[in-house]
Amino acid sequence: MSERFELELSQLNLLVERLPKSGVIILQGDLASGKTTLTKAIVKSHGMDENVTSPTFSVMQNYRDIYHYDIYQEGFEGLKKNGLFENLFEDGLHIVEWGDDELIKMLKKYSIPTCMIKITNATNKRIYEVSFA
């Protein structure tokens, strides 16, 4: 199943309310496409007023039951190397920026519920292509 949303930033709640509350959400898109902005909206929708930033250097940040990963620098191998792949088996919502094909393959192998969101820029809007594995 897949869905396509073309939204302004003020409309992100239309997408967020359709997303799973647990499992893994993989965010893919170019630099500055809005991956962290979407994560902020997801965290806010869970009733949290947290200072959400991209965990580029720390690799993972935690907002109560939401875990936010950025694997831009080392991909799935970095996630494994840092012992964080095992976290994806834990309860909660795991949001992974820059999730790659190898990560998706492993999530499927272990039947971990996964939602993938491809984000592209459009004039004054973003296009969100959402699919489930």
Side-chain angles (χ1 to χ4, degrees), residues 8-123:
E8 295 177 4
L9 291 179
S10 63
Q11 300 173 306
L12 273 179
N13 62 313
L14 298 172
L15 169 61
V16 170
E17 64 191 20
R18 306 284 303 261
L19 298 177
K21 303 291 185 209
S22 63
V24 177
I25 296 176
I26 294 178
L27 303 179
Q28 298 175 324
D30 292 335
L31 286 170
S33 62
K35 294 178 292 297
T36 302
T37 299
L38 179 55
T39 301
K40 288 178 186 180
I42 293 169
V43 170
K44 187 175 182 179
S45 78
H46 283 248
M48 293 179 258
D49 188 23
E50 300 283 338
N51 180 25
V52 176
T53 59
S54 182
T56 303
F57 299 105
S58 63
V59 183
M60 186 196 84
Q61 292 186 45
N62 172 252
Y63 312 105
R64 289 188 224 154
D65 61 343
I66 297 177
Y67 304 88
H68 181 201
Y69 309 81
D70 183 326
I71 61 172
Y72 175 73
Q73 297 197 26
E74 296 186 50
F76 175 67
E77 287 304 315
L79 201 62
K80 282 192 334 188
K81 180 177 79 175
N82 289 306
L84 296 174
F85 178 69
E86 291 78 12
N87 288 10
L88 302 178
F89 291 87
E90 300 295 325
D91 289 340
L93 180 61
H94 302 268
I95 302 170
V96 183
E97 294 190 27
W98 301 101
D100 55 20
D101 290 340
E102 191 172 357
L103 173 59
I104 294 167
K105 179 179 162 186
M106 293 302 287
L107 293 169
K108 285 180 182 178
K109 177 180 178 180
Y110 290 103
S111 300
I112 297 174
T114 305
C115 171
M116 289 149 310
I117 303 175
K118 172 97 170 113
I119 306 170
T120 52
N121 290 322
T123 305

